[in-house]
Amino acid sequence: MRMKATFFIIYFLFVLLIKVNAAENNLKNIIIFIGDGMHKEHQIAASRFFTGKDEELTWHNFPYRSSVSTWDINTYNRYAYIKGDKLYSKDNIDYSLGYSPLIGGKTANSSESLKRRNYFLNKLPLVYKENLYKIPATDSAAAATAMFTGQKAETKAISFQTYNGENKPLKTIAEIFREKNKGSIGLITTVPFNHATPAALISHSESRNNYYSAVDTKEGIANQMIAFQPEVLIGGGHPAYNKGWGVKKYLSNDLYNLMKNSKGYIFIDRQNKLDASQNIKTAADQAKTMNKKLFGLFGSKKGHLNNIKPVYKDGTPIVKRDSKENPYLKDCVLAALNVLSQNKNGFLLLAEQGDIDWANHENNYKHMIGAVWDMDTAVSTAVKFVDKPDDDIDWTNTILVVTSDHANSYMRIKNKEKLKKGTLPRQFKLFNYHYPLREVKYYTHAHTNELVDIYIKGQGIDTFRENEGKYYPGTRILDNTQIFDSLINELR
Ligand SMILES: [Zn+2]
């Protein structure tokens, strides 16, 4: 009898020990890719051009896939208003007001019932906060805030609460990760480095349009991002190129000089006739051997890096960039990982392909395909980096998330037969882009409230799975705030 009891106690302790061990978090490195404005249909378009099949991009074979709702407070409030419901309040959220799976569907969907299309495309009355978009959809600022702070925000807000009479900064996952895990932080984007998506990871502002302020002040987004001193920051907005009539300016010469002379950094920028792919690699190697951080500043007239054009040459789909003086996203990702992986405590890397959104606003199919290619090759570069043996970075301590902040343009492929490997729709520009042969159709130039895809590889999938349908019962939908929730829960 006694033996038996002792046995059970030992057995019980043993089971408990295993449980405790299993509950220990292993996640050390976080890599987040955001295809700005990328809907499922844009992935299919790029995949068809480069492979002839619908789902052959790098992330399509990741072990986890689900859908994400992206609405912001403005979207929510417009729906609340027309339904006579209460406006958004943090303590009482009706998620189906922000996005209705009953009308919009349970996944990011290509099929087009008229009811669904109207739900996404009908404009709402401008009763809530005038002069914002009439389109019921988030912008990149509020979406990034949701993903990086776990809090819904109003359109334009950069990790900042601006509602319920309470104006205050919201703590981001990068700030928590640096404080708690002592990990390194890296940010890359193909658009200006202080554009909404990267901005929301390490700065706070009521408006995404506060791109920069005087060099000795703190309000500007660029000012805050430079002051944060991330271990890696690479993007566009170089003031020497970002100029011309009617062009939006992202950075002052004073701030450029501040970046250039930042202590502890290797600084690399766009150079006449020099290949940026090579230069960024050399700079990263230098930063690595000298134990320094890395700033990379590139850009063009509009502030972004490159338009990337798909071309079909000798039976092979390839791409061409505007200028070799600006790097591809994959070059930046490899450079960043080389620097960030030096930190034994781990790293958090955000890589944004922002031109998918810019091309979609123009309804430019060609540039959109090139931008998705840029993201695909960058994700594949990151996968190979983690796969590499003989270092302490592998899939048991690293998570790779590929998602989008919102959909854009409601593009639909109308004739799949005509869009095979290497073929593009015929497009011409007369104010906007037109598709005379109707291979594809664009329904809007704006963002939509459609669900976006999320693909995950590595450590931490379980938490995402547990969070499915929490706000949308009977579905597998995640809300964008749950990207923050899940990652925080998995951090060790
Ligand atoms: Zn946009």
Side-chain angles (χ1 to χ4, degrees), residues 24 48 62 68 106 149 156 209 369 474:
E24 214 171 70
R48 287 192 80 80
F62 282 10
V68 183
K106 293 179 182 179
T149 73
K156 287 189 181 172
N209 297 331
I369 298 240

PDB file of all heavy atoms in Angstrom, residues 24 48 62 68 106 149 156 209 369 474:
ATOM      1  N   GLU A  24       7.504  25.913 -20.674  1.00  0.00           N
ATOM      2  CA  GLU A  24       8.577  26.883 -20.760  1.00  0.00           C
ATOM      3  C   GLU A  24       8.662  27.411 -22.189  1.00  0.00           C
ATOM      4  O   GLU A  24       8.637  26.649 -23.143  1.00  0.00           O
ATOM      5  CB  GLU A  24       9.889  26.182 -20.410  1.00  0.00           C
ATOM      6  CG  GLU A  24      10.861  27.077 -19.700  1.00  0.00           C
ATOM      7  CD  GLU A  24      12.031  26.266 -19.201  1.00  0.00           C
ATOM      8  OE1 GLU A  24      12.808  25.833 -20.063  1.00  0.00           O
ATOM      9  OE2 GLU A  24      12.129  26.044 -17.991  1.00  0.00           O
ATOM     10  N   ARG A  48       1.255  32.881 -60.178  1.00  0.00           N
ATOM     11  CA  ARG A  48       0.958  32.444 -61.553  1.00  0.00           C
ATOM     12  C   ARG A  48       2.031  32.928 -62.530  1.00  0.00           C
ATOM     13  O   ARG A  48       2.487  32.181 -63.388  1.00  0.00           O
ATOM     14  CB  ARG A  48      -0.411  32.956 -62.016  1.00  0.00           C
ATOM     15  CG  ARG A  48      -1.589  32.257 -61.393  1.00  0.00           C
ATOM     16  CD  ARG A  48      -2.881  32.602 -62.114  1.00  0.00           C
ATOM     17  NE  ARG A  48      -3.039  31.818 -63.335  1.00  0.00           N
ATOM     18  CZ  ARG A  48      -3.461  30.564 -63.373  1.00  0.00           C
ATOM     19  NH1 ARG A  48      -3.781  29.944 -62.253  1.00  0.00           N
ATOM     20  NH2 ARG A  48      -3.573  29.932 -64.517  1.00  0.00           N
ATOM     21  N   PHE A  62       4.300  26.923 -45.663  1.00  0.00           N
ATOM     22  CA  PHE A  62       4.489  27.010 -44.213  1.00  0.00           C
ATOM     23  C   PHE A  62       3.455  26.133 -43.516  1.00  0.00           C
ATOM     24  O   PHE A  62       2.349  25.948 -44.037  1.00  0.00           O
ATOM     25  CB  PHE A  62       4.326  28.471 -43.729  1.00  0.00           C
ATOM     26  CG  PHE A  62       5.513  29.351 -43.989  1.00  0.00           C
ATOM     27  CD1 PHE A  62       6.568  28.931 -44.796  1.00  0.00           C
ATOM     28  CD2 PHE A  62       5.592  30.619 -43.427  1.00  0.00           C
ATOM     29  CE1 PHE A  62       7.658  29.753 -45.037  1.00  0.00           C
ATOM     30  CE2 PHE A  62       6.677  31.449 -43.666  1.00  0.00           C
ATOM     31  CZ  PHE A  62       7.709  31.015 -44.471  1.00  0.00           C
ATOM     32  N   VAL A  68      -6.893  36.917 -41.041  1.00  0.00           N
ATOM     33  CA  VAL A  68      -6.823  37.975 -40.034  1.00  0.00           C
ATOM     34  C   VAL A  68      -7.780  39.110 -40.365  1.00  0.00           C
ATOM     35  O   VAL A  68      -7.835  39.572 -41.508  1.00  0.00           O
ATOM     36  CB  VAL A  68      -5.384  38.545 -39.953  1.00  0.00           C
ATOM     37  CG1 VAL A  68      -5.279  39.600 -38.859  1.00  0.00           C
ATOM     38  CG2 VAL A  68      -4.359  37.451 -39.735  1.00  0.00           C
ATOM     39  N   LYS A 106     -15.456  33.664 -44.110  1.00  0.00           N
ATOM     40  CA  LYS A 106     -14.595  33.214 -43.012  1.00  0.00           C
ATOM     41  C   LYS A 106     -13.118  33.172 -43.383  1.00  0.00           C
ATOM     42  O   LYS A 106     -12.268  32.932 -42.538  1.00  0.00           O
ATOM     43  CB  LYS A 106     -15.023  31.817 -42.560  1.00  0.00           C
ATOM     44  CG  LYS A 106     -16.387  31.790 -41.900  1.00  0.00           C
ATOM     45  CD  LYS A 106     -16.727  30.374 -41.509  1.00  0.00           C
ATOM     46  CE  LYS A 106     -18.126  30.301 -40.891  1.00  0.00           C
ATOM     47  NZ  LYS A 106     -18.473  28.918 -40.536  1.00  0.00           N
ATOM     48  N   THR A 149       0.970  46.565 -30.848  1.00  0.00           N
ATOM     49  CA  THR A 149       0.659  46.928 -29.455  1.00  0.00           C
ATOM     50  C   THR A 149      -0.505  46.115 -28.885  1.00  0.00           C
ATOM     51  O   THR A 149      -0.780  46.183 -27.693  1.00  0.00           O
ATOM     52  CB  THR A 149       0.285  48.424 -29.311  1.00  0.00           C
ATOM     53  OG1 THR A 149      -1.023  48.635 -29.863  1.00  0.00           O
ATOM     54  CG2 THR A 149       1.278  49.331 -30.004  1.00  0.00           C
ATOM     55  N   LYS A 156      -4.603  56.655 -38.928  1.00  0.00           N
ATOM     56  CA  LYS A 156      -3.456  57.577 -38.853  1.00  0.00           C
ATOM     57  C   LYS A 156      -2.632  57.471 -37.570  1.00  0.00           C
ATOM     58  O   LYS A 156      -1.513  57.970 -37.523  1.00  0.00           O
ATOM     59  CB  LYS A 156      -3.873  59.045 -39.016  1.00  0.00           C
ATOM     60  CG  LYS A 156      -4.266  59.410 -40.421  1.00  0.00           C
ATOM     61  CD  LYS A 156      -4.443  60.905 -40.551  1.00  0.00           C
ATOM     62  CE  LYS A 156      -4.862  61.252 -41.965  1.00  0.00           C
ATOM     63  NZ  LYS A 156      -5.231  62.654 -42.083  1.00  0.00           N
ATOM     64  N   ASN A 209       1.507  61.399 -40.391  1.00  0.00           N
ATOM     65  CA  ASN A 209       2.061  62.452 -41.244  1.00  0.00           C
ATOM     66  C   ASN A 209       3.132  63.306 -40.567  1.00  0.00           C
ATOM     67  O   ASN A 209       3.747  64.136 -41.212  1.00  0.00           O
ATOM     68  CB  ASN A 209       0.944  63.359 -41.770  1.00  0.00           C
ATOM     69  CG  ASN A 209      -0.025  62.575 -42.640  1.00  0.00           C
ATOM     70  OD1 ASN A 209       0.354  61.593 -43.275  1.00  0.00           O
ATOM     71  ND2 ASN A 209      -1.288  62.982 -42.647  1.00  0.00           N
ATOM     72  N   ILE A 369       3.074  42.759 -59.083  1.00  0.00           N
ATOM     73  CA  ILE A 369       3.714  41.447 -59.218  1.00  0.00           C
ATOM     74  C   ILE A 369       5.192  41.519 -58.845  1.00  0.00           C
ATOM     75  O   ILE A 369       5.726  40.646 -58.154  1.00  0.00           O
ATOM     76  CB  ILE A 369       3.597  40.944 -60.672  1.00  0.00           C
ATOM     77  CG1 ILE A 369       2.152  40.776 -61.046  1.00  0.00           C
ATOM     78  CG2 ILE A 369       4.416  39.682 -60.885  1.00  0.00           C
ATOM     79  CD1 ILE A 369       1.789  39.405 -61.425  1.00  0.00           C
ATOM     80  N   GLY A 474     -16.874  30.069 -34.197  1.00  0.00           N
ATOM     81  CA  GLY A 474     -17.277  29.269 -35.352  1.00  0.00           C
ATOM     82  C   GLY A 474     -16.397  29.479 -36.574  1.00  0.00           C
ATOM     83  O   GLY A 474     -16.691  28.963 -37.642  1.00  0.00           O
TER      84      GLY A 474
END
